Amino acid sequence: MRIAQVSPWFRPHIGGVETHVASISRELARRGHDVTVITSRYDRSLPEREDWQGLRIVRLKTRSVMLRTPIAPATKRAIESLDVDVVHAHSPPPLSAYYAAKASRRRGLPFVVTYHCDIEVPSIFGPIVESLYRSTLGYSTTKRADRIVMSTSTYAATSRAVWRYNPVVIANPVDAHRFHPGNDGGAVRQIHGIRDDEPLVLFVGRMYAHKGIENLIEAARYVPYAKFLLVGGGTELNAFKRLAQRTGVADRVLFPGPTPSVRLPTYYAACDLFVLPSVSRLEAFGIVALEAMASGKAVVLSDIPGVREVIQDGVEGLLADPVNPEDLALKIRALLADDAQRTAMGRRGRETAERNYSIELITDRIEQVYRDAVEARRAAS
C-alpha cells in the first residue's frame, strides 16, 4: 500500500508520538509498503525532503508554533499532491490531523487517525479552550475519520473526544530486539559516577510538569540510599534542577539532559528500577515503560487511565498514587528492597512486552485497520 503518515513532529524531534510513528513506519516500509511521513519543518536547517530507513520524510513550512503545536496549513496541499491509498494522521498536537482530515475528504481518501491523548492547555482558560477545540476542529477531525485508533481501552473510555465513537484499541509497540535484558549499562554508571552497588532509579522523558517529575524529585527525599537518573530535555529542565537543589537531593538526582535514542537501551540496562510518575491526561500510555519492561526491568507507574493498563499491579511492577510523592517513594523502596521480586517482575515484564507489544504484532493490527478503511471507503463509493 501507499501510506501517508501525518505527524506534527518527527525526527530529530523527540517524543512519544514521534517514536510511535517512526517505529510503525519503519516496520511498514520493511514489509514493502510505500511510506511517506508528512511533518512540520519547525527548524529551517532541516531538509525539506529526506530518505530515512526505507521511508520518505516531507517537511512542510511552518508558520509558527503555538502551545507546542506546529501550524502548517501546507499539510493539505502535500496530501492532495501525493498518490496514496490511505492517510494516517496522529494527534495531538491537533492541527496536523485537522488539515489531513480536510485534504483526505476532498480527495475521497480513506482516513485513519490515532488519538494519542487529550489536549491540555496550561492556563486558567485552559478548560474553555479545550472544550471549544473538541466541539469545533476536534469534532471536524474525528467525524471525518474512517477509523479512530487509541492505545488503551481505559483511556478511550474516559476521553470526551472519542467516547461517542467506537475506536479501535491498538497499543503502542516496542522494539524488543533493540531493548532487551542483554544490553550492558556499565558504561552509563561509570559516566555518571554511580557505583555498581548503588541502587539506581531511572526516568526517561521530556522535562515537562505533566510527567510528574516534581513528585519524583520529592520522592527521592524518602529514598536516601538510591541514585535517580532523570534522562531527557525540555523547557523545564533547569527548573527541575533548581527544585532538586532546594530539596537537598541534587547530589543524588542527576539530569544527563537529552540523550541520543541509540544510547537509550544502555540507560535502561544500567538501572535497577524504572519509574513513570505522570500526573496528566497528556500521558495516555507511556512507551518508555514498555522499553523498560522489554529491557527486563521492574517498573513503578502512575495509577492513571491508559498508563495503568500497561501492567498488572504486582505482576510486572507496581502502581503508585499520582501526585503523591510519599506513596511513590513507598513503592520504590519496596522494590529496591526485594531483589527477587524485582527480578521476577522484570522477567514477566519482558514476557509481556514480547507477547502483547511487539512491533510485529502491533503493525499487523495497523495493517488490518488500513485494509478495513480502504474496503469501507470502496463499499461506500
Side-chain angles (χ1 to χ4, degrees):
M1 299 179 72
R2 296 161 298 181
I3 303 160
Q5 299 276 358
V6 182
S7 180
W9 305 101
F10 200 60
R11 68 176 305 271
H13 198 275
I14 298 173
V17 174
E18 297 91 304
T19 299
H20 174 93
V21 175
S23 299
I24 293 296
S25 297
R26 284 196 304 259
E27 179 63 16
L28 288 168
R30 189 190 67 79
R31 297 182 181 197
H33 298 290
D34 184 276
V35 182
T36 301
V37 175
I38 299 172
T39 188
S40 60
R41 190 169 178 241
Y42 59 90
D43 184 337
R44 292 184 180 181
S45 68
L46 295 172
E48 294 182 6
R49 293 179 180 269
E50 179 183 3
D51 293 326
W52 178 71
Q53 298 194 10
L55 51 102
R56 287 182 300 278
I57 304 173
V58 177
R59 297 186 179 92
L60 305 172
K61 179 180 179 181
T62 303
R63 290 183 178 176
S64 64
V65 176
M66 296 180 61
L67 297 174
R68 301 174 188 163
T69 300
I71 301 174
T75 302
K76 290 180 286 188
R77 290 197 306 274
I79 293 173
E80 290 168 359
S81 67
L82 286 177
D83 188 12
V84 295
D85 300 306
V86 64
V87 176
H88 186 177
H90 298 263
S91 178
L95 286 181
S96 294
Y98 170 71
Y99 297 140
K102 290 193 69 175
S104 298
R105 182 173 185 178
R106 193 173 299 160
R107 288 192 56 194
L109 292 170
F111 177 61
V112 176
V113 60
T114 293
Y115 190 82
H116 289 273
C117 68
D118 293 331
I119 64 169
E120 285 192 358
V121 179
S123 163
I124 59 173
F125 302 107
I128 298 174
V129 175
E130 295 158 16
S131 178
L132 182 62
Y133 170 78
R134 282 196 304 269
S135 62
T136 55
L137 299 182
Y139 174 69
S140 179
T141 302
T142 51
K143 78 173 183 179
R144 289 170 171 159
D146 295 280
R147 294 291 186 276
I148 298 173
V149 179
M150 296 195 74
S151 58
T152 65
S153 58
T154 55
Y155 200 94
T158 55
S159 173
R160 294 183 181 180
V162 300
W163 63 23
R164 73 182 71 187
Y165 304 101
N166 185 27
V168 180
V169 176
I170 302 177
N172 284 310
V174 66
D175 186 346
H177 306 290
R178 181 168 168 243
F179 298 94
H180 60 83
N183 287 321
D184 184 4
V188 169
R189 282 181 171 260
Q190 184 176 9
I191 289 170
H192 297 291
I194 302 169
R195 300 191 312 271
D196 290 341
D197 62 346
E198 284 185 294
L200 177 59
V201 178
L202 178 70
F203 164 86
V204 175
R206 289 176 290 180
M207 295 293 153
Y208 294 141
H210 74 266
K211 293 289 187 177
I213 298 170
E214 290 183 6
N215 297 320
L216 183 54
I217 293 171
E218 291 284 347
R221 297 169 54 200
Y222 303 101
V223 196
Y225 49 86
K227 290 287 182 69
F228 290 72
L229 204 54
L230 279 55
V231 178
T235 55
E236 299 173 47
L237 174 58
N238 289 333
F240 291 132
K241 288 181 178 179
R242 291 192 294 270
L243 177 61
Q245 290 281 356
R246 291 197 302 272
T247 53
V249 296
D251 60 326
R252 296 187 296 105
V253 178
L254 311 177
F255 297 87
T259 300
S261 61
V262 69
R263 294 180 57 193
L264 281 180
T266 62
Y267 275 85
Y268 290 109
C271 77
D272 295 291
L273 179 67
F274 178 83
V275 177
L276 182 61
S278 299
V279 297
S280 162
R281 290 188 65 84
L282 288 172
E283 190 78 77
F285 190 88
I287 294 175
V288 289
L290 283 187
E291 293 172 349
M293 291 162 60
S295 301
K297 303 298 178 177
V299 298
V300 175
L301 310 180
S302 281
D303 190 4
I304 59 176
V307 174
R308 70 166 70 105
E309 201 167 320
V310 177
I311 67 168
Q312 298 179 68
D313 191 21
V315 177
E316 300 93 350
L318 298 176
L319 296 176
D321 293 340
V323 202
N324 187 339
E326 292 187 17
D327 185 65
L328 182 61
L330 178 67
K331 303 300 168 57
I332 292 172
R333 290 200 308 270
L335 291 186
L336 289 181
D338 192 333
D339 292 348
Q341 182 185 36
R342 202 173 62 249
T343 299
M345 285 180 169
R347 183 180 64 253
R348 291 192 292 264
R350 171 69 186 183
E351 293 168 354
T352 297
E354 290 182 302
R355 181 177 61 252
N356 297 337
Y357 302 106
S358 72
I359 183 63
E360 295 83 5
L361 173 65
I362 301 306
T363 305
D364 285 344
R365 294 175 177 172
I366 291 290
E367 281 183 314
Q368 187 59 54
V369 167
Y370 293 163
R371 287 192 289 267
D372 291 344
V374 170
E375 290 171 8
R377 185 58 63 100
R378 286 174 180 168
S381 62

